[in-house]
Amino acid sequence: MWSMHTAISAIGLLSDRGYGKQLHLTVVGNGHPAYERELHRMVEMHDLQRMVTLTGRVPPTRMPAVFAQHDVLLFPSIYREPLARTMQEAMLSGLLVVGTTTGGSGEMLVDGATGLTFPAGDVQQLTSQLTRVTREPELVPTLAQRGQTAMLAHFTLDRFTDDIDAYLAEVVGRA
C-alpha cells in the first residue's frame, strides 16, 4: 500500500521546525500516476523541493548504489508485507531503518535494538523518530550495525531452508 505521503508529511514538519538543512528524503520507486502527482503536489505545497527528491523507478541492480548514498532507510509501509525485502537489503547494506512493523517487517525491526519504529501512518511518531536521529547522530551507526548483525544472524538462506525442512518434516510426520 502506498505510504510515502507519511514520510513527506514528516519531512514537512521537520522543515517547519528548522531541520531543513540536516535532512534529505529520496523517494525511490513509482506507483499509481495519481498518487505520484499527489506526492509532487505535497512537495510543492510544503516547499520541500530542496529536501525531497522523487526519483521514480530505479532498477534493482542500482539499489546498492542508492543505499550507499544514504544513512537511513525510511520504511513507512502500511501494507502487511510478508517479507520486506527492501528493508532486509537496507539493513544488510548497513543503513539504519526507521519503519513500521507491519507484516514480516516486525520480525526484523525492533525499536531501539535493530532500528527505530513508528505506527503505520503516524506522521507525528515518524517525525519524533527522525528528530531523535537528528539530535542523537550516534544512533545511526550503532543501530545500523545491530540491524546488520541481526540480519546476518537470523535471516540467512541456510536458516530459511532449515525452517522449510523442519516444517515439511512436521507435515510428513502428521500424515
Side-chain angles (χ1 to χ4, degrees), residues 13 33-34 62 69 77-78 92 96 107 129 132 151 153 170:
L13 288 174
R62 292 249 324 110
Q69 296 171 348
S77 182
I78 57 176
L92 285 167
L96 166 62
E107 294 179 40
Q129 292 293 38
R132 184 176 176 201
M151 288 302 302
E170 180 183 326

Side-chain angles (χ1 to χ4, degrees), residues 111-130:
D111 192 58
T114 60
L116 296 173
T117 66
F118 65 96
D122 192 328
V123 174
Q124 294 298 327
Q125 285 297 314
L126 173 55
T127 303
S128 293
Q129 292 293 38
L130 293 176

Side-chain angles (χ1 to χ4, degrees), residues 2-15 23-27 35 39 42-43 46 48 51-52 73-78 98 100 118 121-124 126-127 130:
W2 300 311
S3 53
M4 290 314 302
H5 59 280
T6 303
I8 292 172
S9 294
I11 295 297
L13 288 174
L14 289 165
S15 177
L23 300 172
H24 187 87
L25 174 67
T26 304
V27 179
Y35 186 69
L39 295 180
M42 287 177 71
V43 169
H46 296 290
L48 299 174
M51 293 181 68
V52 177
L73 172 81
L74 290 186
F75 190 78
S77 182
I78 57 176
V98 177
T100 60
F118 65 96
D122 192 328
V123 174
Q124 294 298 327
L126 173 55
T127 303
L130 293 176

Side-chain angles (χ1 to χ4, degrees), residues 5-78:
H5 59 280
T6 303
I8 292 172
S9 294
I11 295 297
L13 288 174
L14 289 165
S15 177
D16 292 345
R17 295 176 186 172
Y19 291 100
K21 293 185 169 127
Q22 294 172 279
L23 300 172
H24 187 87
L25 174 67
T26 304
V27 179
V28 176
N30 56 1
H32 190 279
Y35 186 69
E36 287 184 38
R37 284 191 300 275
E38 176 62 17
L39 295 180
H40 284 280
R41 187 194 67 73
M42 287 177 71
V43 169
E44 290 175 19
M45 181 178 76
H46 296 290
D47 195 27
L48 299 174
Q49 295 87 337
R50 285 178 273 122
M51 293 181 68
V52 177
T53 303
L54 294 111
T55 67
R57 185 182 179 283
V58 172
T61 56
R62 292 249 324 110
M63 285 308 296
V66 171
F67 289 152
Q69 296 171 348
H70 296 84
D71 298 313
V72 176
L73 172 81
L74 290 186
F75 190 78
S77 182
I78 57 176

